[in-house]
Amino acid sequence: MSDEVGSAAETEADSEPVDESPTLYERWRQIHDNESTVAALTILGVALAPFVLVTLPTQLGLPSEYSWYHNLLTLTLIWGIFALGYDLLLGFTGLLSFGHAIFWGTSAYAAGIFSANVTGSPLAMILVGTLTAVLMAWIIGWISLRRGGIYFAILTLAFGQMIYYIFLSPLGDITGGENGFTGVQVGSLFGVVDLGRAVPFVPEAFVDSWMYVFVGAAMILSVVVGYRILNSPYGAVLRAIRENEQRAEFVGLNVWRYKLMAFILSGAFAGLAGSLYVIQRSFVPIENTLNWTVSGDIVVITVLGGVGSLFGPVFGAGLYMYVANIVSGMPVIGEFWHMILGIVFIAVVATMPHGIWGRVDWLRDRVADAIGGDER
Amino acid sequence: MSLVGELVVLLVNGLQTGAIYVLLAIGLSIILGTLKFVNFAHGALYVVGAYIGLLITQQISIANGQLAEWGFPTLGLGWGFIAALVIVPPIVFVVGLAMERFVARPFYDRPDTDQILVTFGLAIVVQELIHALIGPRSYTYDIPSEIAGGIPFSGPVGVPLSAVTIDVWRVWVIAITATLVIAVYAIVEYTDFGLVVKAGTRDPEMVRLLGIRITRPYLVMFGIGAGLAGVAGVVGAPLSNINPEIGMTILVPAFLTVVIGGVGSIRGAVLGGTLIGMVQVTLISLGTVSLGSLSINFTPWAQVGIYALAVVVLLTRPQGLLGSEEVTA
Amino acid sequence: MTAILETRDLVKEFGGLVATDHVNLTIEEGELVSLIGPNGAGKSTLINLITRMLEETEGEIFFEGDPITDLEPHEVVQRGIGKSFQTASIFPELTVEENANIASFGAEHGSFRFNFLKHRSSYPAVQQRTLDTLEAVGLRSQKDTTAADLPYGDKRRLEIGIALASEPALLLMDEPTAGMSPEETQSTVELIEDLQEEMDLTILLVEHDMEIVFSVSDRIAVLNRGSIIAEGPPDEVQGDPSVQEAYLGGVEL
Ligand SMILES: Nc1ncnc2c1ncn2[C@@H]1O[C@H](COP(=O)(O)OP(=O)(O)O)[C@@H](O)[C@H]1O
Ligand SMILES: [Mg+2]
């Protein structure tokens, strides 16, 4: 999957003649950066993940407590969507938000409360949740983006706390306060498909339930939309703002509105993810939705995985979920999992501007260069 | 209880709550104003102060921490609270210097976002280290009864009122904070060392241009700011529970204090902290107010009120109440 | 001739300091006007007022006859005022071509659009302008280079290219040759002159190098402590005793 996605347009627009016989690697490089390839690779990845990560390791004799399980994989995809949207803001626009729990959390509450009172249709829940997140992002972005740079991080953090406390107590009658919202009623998809059921004709070794298919589809959609955004004029403009905001203003771009749009778009991804989270859990726990730790987790996930790429954040989500849920149960280091992640996080911030995935990608390019010759 | 009595209690509680924010905000504000460095690990200094103080004051039993498993079911010196009060600030001062040297300084030339990220990472590490070693449970300080008690307060002569009690320790916190703030203010206003710091707040660009050597005063300021955060940890501890998460939760109001007061301004920090403290405590004490058939319970809004205050200040006076207009170009 | 830019009694105060003091400056279409003055005279402040980076304390600014004091910086750019910065202001981690591409989007699409799902290559006019821009500043062959890796002179050229991509009617240049070697300065000056001729540009130039100023300017305005103390063709200004007194401290030019 593409990393500096921006190169795609330029490669295509390039009018200079391509030299005689492209090597295998060059040809790979070309198809690599195109929408249907990206979509196909994502589909492949989503389809094979359960088998490769859940089934295979157990078959090979890995103790089952150290292996992935289906629900964790679904959860990873949900956080992957969240992280992908977050990276639009942090990696591509250069804005560090410490309040993204707001969008994940309010969408979760909106979807949950909507399901209890109107309809439990998963698609309707997603629509309501995402729209709520968009609205919240619009309001909070509008205020927080008035002050640049460091204030943005502080203000989004403060808004996060504010919303948390509002949902915790003043709105406690509606939200369930510290117990969370327990009345979630997830219905069936299109009125026929129960998401908890197994998928007929597909062995459980591959897909355990419709839920995974549903979340997987959302993931594929997110990647495609994310890819589109990055290859649209926005992709260029947002990176320009990240690189040199003043210059971007002085080529005549309304930097403030583009930043607000980036914030809203990333809020929309967070809203989609938050709605999916509620659909999966049938419950809205306040500590896992609006608490500032969620805002912190998405920062850690995205930076660890790698900012500035589509796949890095998703990789980060997988890494984080595995460490938080599996490694944390291991003897000795288990107790220190969070601290170790913190140390790795500092190391990544200090030395790997494109995260761990950036390193993987760099290594892969090195290997490919060695195989494909020195054509680049 | 009488109205006057209640107002006095309110004032003491509000000022004391604000005092903790002020102690935290001064360091944050000066570093932000001069070095343009955002320290998300400032709350970690508060936690470190609180826990070191705890271990100096008393012996604690460790329930869920690794230390218990490694053969330290109890830990602590048991020297008492006064000892903690004296020992903690210099320790955290040194911790602050180390933080400046090994975490902040390598990042002065990096983008703001990297500075925030790395200090945020440090805050996580500190929090989780304590979490793993000592455990997630909350502790409270054993403090001597003469400072833990209340003093009966009776009103001005001629105003008949039933006495209310005021926590002595809260008054102490206000007094200690006031003394320290005046001391720091005097240093910044009246010494050569402070002059450089002040000049830097006015013109951060100049400080950058002059290079890191001239910034030694800021390193000391960093240490002093850290020391104050440590003081906040110890003096605030007897009034609240100590657990690994308090650092992150206190960071937000501390930042708001800076934003409301105005970056780089000590007087602003005092004003901001006092305002936040008063708003918070007033909303809590108001409780349920009935206006005819309409009754509103303000207590749950106490935490929300301070954010609302910050938003209002920000929208009407973006540079903060006592901050100077931002230097652009 | 018609005035393209006019400032009327423009005042900017920073705290107690008066950075520009009732400045009345008129620039005619097609002129190259140089703004000179000692350090701290208020030259950059004046430029920043025109671009709306700074809010004026008093006074008015007219561009092509319309007041622009209520506009945002990007709106001013859209009206036709470009700016080249004191330090090479580019997008360092993007390629040279991407740099020009972004400027072209700003020029072709206005300040904002909702086109976040449309592919960049589906805007041929933008792509064309990108190439034209690179051609104009002679950086076509380096289009795939990361901008940060360019030599300083080329960065400045790229910067000028970005400023010109929107084909501004008026270009403000704040010390375009600062930090350049003599050769780089020479080629930049030639570039400025060529561009002015080719693109019908009006230029307001802030420059320290007097040799350049006196050779390229149609008119020179001298700013001292925020006030314009002299204004006119180069030879007139050169001979003005008050300029020599205030600005050059009596030293012969
Ligand atoms: N953003 C600002 N805040 C405060 N003072 C400023 C600011 N910008 C410029 N000044 C002051 O205004 C005066 C004019 O500065 P400037 O316009 O940069 O001068 P020049 O470009 O002619 O060297 C100087 O005294 C400078 O210190
Ligand atoms: Mg200047």
Side-chain angles (χ1 to χ4, degrees), chain C residues 43-44 86 174-175:
Chain C
K43 306 180 295 290
S44 296
Q86 210 157 0
D174 197 345
E175 306 195 26

Side-chain angles (χ1 to χ4, degrees), chain A residues 106-126:
Chain A
T106 54
S107 70
Y109 275 97
I113 293 170
F114 181 80
S115 77
N117 296 299
V118 186
T119 161
S121 153
L123 289 178
M125 286 172 73
I126 285 178

Side-chain angles (χ1 to χ4, degrees), chain C:
Chain C
M1 282 209 281
T2 47
I4 189 165
L5 183 88
E6 189 185 348
T7 70
R8 284 191 203 149
D9 287 325
L10 203 53
V11 179
K12 175 68 192 179
E13 292 174 14
F14 293 110
L17 182 110
V18 185
T20 66
D21 189 1
H22 296 275
V23 169
N24 290 295
L25 180 69
T26 305
I27 298 175
E28 309 290 339
E29 217 162 276
E31 267 189 316
L32 194 162
V33 177
S34 289
L35 187 61
I36 62 173
N39 248 329
K43 306 180 295 290
S44 296
T45 302
L46 184 57
I47 301 259
N48 287 332
L49 285 168
I50 298 169
T51 60
R52 306 315 299 141
M53 279 297 286
L54 290 174
E55 198 62 42
E56 77 287 344
T57 311
E58 261 177 56
E60 284 171 301
I61 306 168
F62 294 88
F63 179 66
E64 294 177 335
D66 302 320
I68 56 167
T69 28
D70 287 338
L71 303 185
E72 296 280 315
H74 61 87
E75 292 173 315
V76 173
V77 176
Q78 294 290 347
R79 288 280 179 100
I81 301 182
K83 182 181 171 186
S84 163
F85 283 78
Q86 210 157 0
T87 47
S89 183
I90 52 176
F91 306 111
E93 279 182 37
L94 307 185
T95 65
V96 168
E97 184 179 17
E98 286 169 321
N99 269 270
N101 193 236
I102 287 152
S104 307
F105 270 112
E108 292 282 337
H109 284 185
S111 31
F112 183 78
R113 276 206 196 182
F114 265 110
N115 52 0
F116 58 84
L117 291 178
K118 230 171 148 199
H119 204 284
R120 284 205 281 285
S121 58
S122 56
Y123 297 103
V126 175
Q127 305 305 336
Q128 189 54 49
R129 192 184 281 254
T130 304
L131 293 180
D132 291 348
T133 303
L134 292 177
E135 203 70 69
V137 291
L139 289 171
R140 177 94 201 268
S141 60
Q142 277 131 292
K143 71 185 172 63
D144 292 326
T145 312
T146 303
D149 297 339
L150 290 173
Y152 188 71
D154 283 350
K155 278 186 193 153
R156 292 305 309 237
R157 298 169 78 84
L158 176 60
E159 211 255 321
I160 292 170
I162 294 173
L164 290 178
S166 58
E167 295 176 2
L170 170 66
L171 181 66
L172 310 173
M173 307 184 93
D174 197 345
E175 306 195 26
T177 65
M180 284 191 180
S181 69
E183 303 89 67
E184 286 170 339
T185 305
Q186 188 56 39
S187 72
T188 304
V189 170
E190 275 162 24
L191 180 67
I192 294 171
E193 288 186 308
D194 288 354
L195 290 170
Q196 192 197 8
E197 225 160 90
E198 250 172 63
M199 301 181 64
D200 255 345
L201 267 177
T202 308
I203 296 180
L204 176 60
L205 174 72
V206 174
E207 179 56 60
H208 268 310
D209 187 327
M210 286 306 129
E211 216 170 299
I212 298 179
V213 168
F214 286 107
S215 74
V216 302
S217 309
D218 298 318
R219 214 147 50 81
I220 296 175
V222 186
L223 208 58
N224 189 32
R225 299 202 191 149
S227 304
I228 293 190
I229 55 166
E231 196 182 345
D235 41 349
E236 227 173 80
V237 167
Q238 198 163 5
D240 192 320
S242 72
V243 174
Q244 301 205 350
E245 182 55 37
Y247 174 45
L248 302 161
V251 179
E252 273 299 311
L253 270 176

